[in-house]
Amino acid sequence: MMSALASALLFASVAQAQLKPEKQVEVRQAGYQFMSWNMGKIKAQVVDGTEPYDQAKVAAAADAIAGIANSGMGALFGPDTTTAQLGDMTRLKPEFFSNLEEVSRIGAEYVKNANQLKTVAAGNDQAAIKQAFGALGNSCKACHDKFRAE
Amino acid sequence: MMSALASALLFASVAQAQLKPEKQVEVRQAGYQFMSWNMGKIKAQVVDGTEPYDQAKVAAAADAIAGIANSGMGALFGPDTTTAQLGDMTRLKPEFFSNLEEVSRIGAEYVKNANQLKTVAAGNDQAAIKQAFGALGNSCKACHDKFRAE
């Protein structure tokens, strides 16, 4: 309980100090979209093999992903930024804020997996990159499945 | 001349392998917007002093900026993604593609300055961070002044 309350206060205070709700949504969507572009490059080169593997490009993509994941995106999830307040502009379900312990757990996994992908992408062990890519994708999916509206 | 031609071919081939023109615009705007959010955090903490300086947060913001800057955004600037083809959806002037040597020079400065900001933000010399922040802002402005429509 304390943990969830602390998280809630953290989310609220950090977010309110910075951006309006609509802007929080815009910026977090931008972050995920840019991340998704970079995930796509790694997928094409290391998972699907539809593009030739280029170690430097995969490492750069993983750096961008990790940089975004570590940038404190929690500040972009104010309690007034769900579908309940903002309608179609976001897909964030209000349930996000009644499950903050789970959110924190998934968020920590997501950051850990992004950092692991960055670590292995600095080398050229494609099997390790593929595995780390899959783990990060599962973190994305875990949050989407629970807290993103259709 | 060779350099500009090589750049043009590079831009064209990389871009076309990946995303449709509209998507290139969407993704590059997302990258710049997420970068801008992180620039804003550094500005508030180190330049304007409107928020207290937090070394870890400034370092994380600089990491995100550098990660985005190094991710190969040239691939998002296909020759068919200017105001001439896409109208209001973008502010990229067609002149961008008749000045590719200058674009390359500004782009290289921008990446260099983003990396310098990341380097100094890993420490806590706020004067150095402020200087690097200013240099990066100047790189942004150099491109906007010449190649971004009003």
Side-chain angles (χ1 to χ4, degrees):
Chain A
M1 280 300 285
M2 277 306 289
S3 166
L5 180 59
S7 294
L9 290 172
L10 179 70
F11 274 113
S13 64
V14 175
Q16 288 177 357
Q18 299 191 320
L19 303 175
K20 291 183 180 173
E22 292 80 2
K23 188 76 181 176
Q24 288 176 44
V25 171
E26 208 176 290
V27 174
R28 75 191 183 210
Q29 288 177 347
Y32 291 127
Q33 177 154 40
F34 203 77
M35 195 179 272
S36 169
W37 176 55
N38 284 288
M39 289 291 279
K41 290 186 272 183
I42 299 174
K43 183 170 188 285
Q45 292 183 38
V46 179
V47 181
D48 298 340
T50 50
E51 291 179 22
Y53 171 60
D54 179 324
Q55 189 274 332
K57 285 187 183 170
V58 167
D63 277 2
I65 291 164
I68 293 167
N70 283 288
S71 68
M73 294 187 81
L76 302 171
F77 286 82
D80 46 2
T81 65
T82 78
T83 54
Q85 295 89 13
L86 299 177
D88 281 350
M89 149 160 224
T90 183
R91 292 162 76 184
L92 184 68
K93 292 182 184 172
E95 291 91 307
F96 183 94
F97 291 96
S98 43
N99 291 280
L100 287 176
E101 291 205 41
E102 188 174 10
V103 167
S104 292
R105 189 183 56 71
I106 295 174
E109 276 289 303
Y110 151 77
V111 169
K112 190 193 80 178
N113 288 329
N115 288 337
Q116 172 65 8
L117 178 59
K118 173 175 167 154
T119 298
V120 294
N124 59 13
D125 179 345
Q126 291 187 58
I129 296 169
K130 188 172 171 176
Q131 184 170 36
F133 176 90
L136 179 55
N138 286 340
S139 289
C140 298
K141 188 172 184 307
C143 198
H144 294 171
D145 284 351
K146 300 207 169 168
F147 303 118
R148 189 169 74 164
E150 291 302 314
Chain B
M1 281 300 286
M2 278 306 291
S3 166
L5 179 61
S7 293
L9 290 172
L10 178 70
F11 274 114
S13 64
V14 175
Q16 288 176 358
Q18 299 192 320
L19 302 175
K20 291 185 182 171
E22 293 79 3
K23 189 77 182 175
Q24 289 176 44
V25 172
E26 206 176 292
V27 175
R28 74 192 182 209
Q29 288 176 349
Y32 292 126
Q33 177 155 43
F34 203 77
M35 196 178 271
S36 170
W37 175 55
N38 285 286
M39 289 291 278
K41 289 186 270 183
I42 299 175
K43 183 169 188 284
Q45 292 182 39
V46 178
V47 181
D48 299 340
T50 51
E51 290 178 23
Y53 172 60
D54 180 323
Q55 190 276 331
K57 285 187 183 168
V58 168
D63 277 2
I65 291 164
I68 293 168
N70 283 288
S71 68
M73 295 186 82
L76 302 170
F77 286 82
D80 46 1
T81 65
T82 78
T83 54
Q85 295 89 16
L86 300 176
D88 282 350
M89 142 158 232
T90 182
R91 292 164 74 186
L92 183 67
K93 293 181 182 173
E95 292 90 306
F96 184 92
F97 290 97
S98 42
N99 291 280
L100 286 176
E101 290 205 44
E102 188 175 7
V103 167
S104 292
R105 189 184 55 73
I106 294 174
E109 276 289 303
Y110 150 77
V111 169
K112 190 193 80 177
N113 288 328
N115 288 336
Q116 172 64 8
L117 179 59
K118 173 175 167 155
T119 298
V120 295
N124 58 14
D125 179 345
Q126 290 188 59
I129 297 169
K130 189 172 171 177
Q131 183 170 36
F133 176 90
L136 179 55
N138 286 340
S139 289
C140 298
K141 188 172 183 307
C143 199
H144 294 171
D145 284 350
K146 300 206 168 171
F147 303 118
R148 189 170 73 164
E150 292 301 315

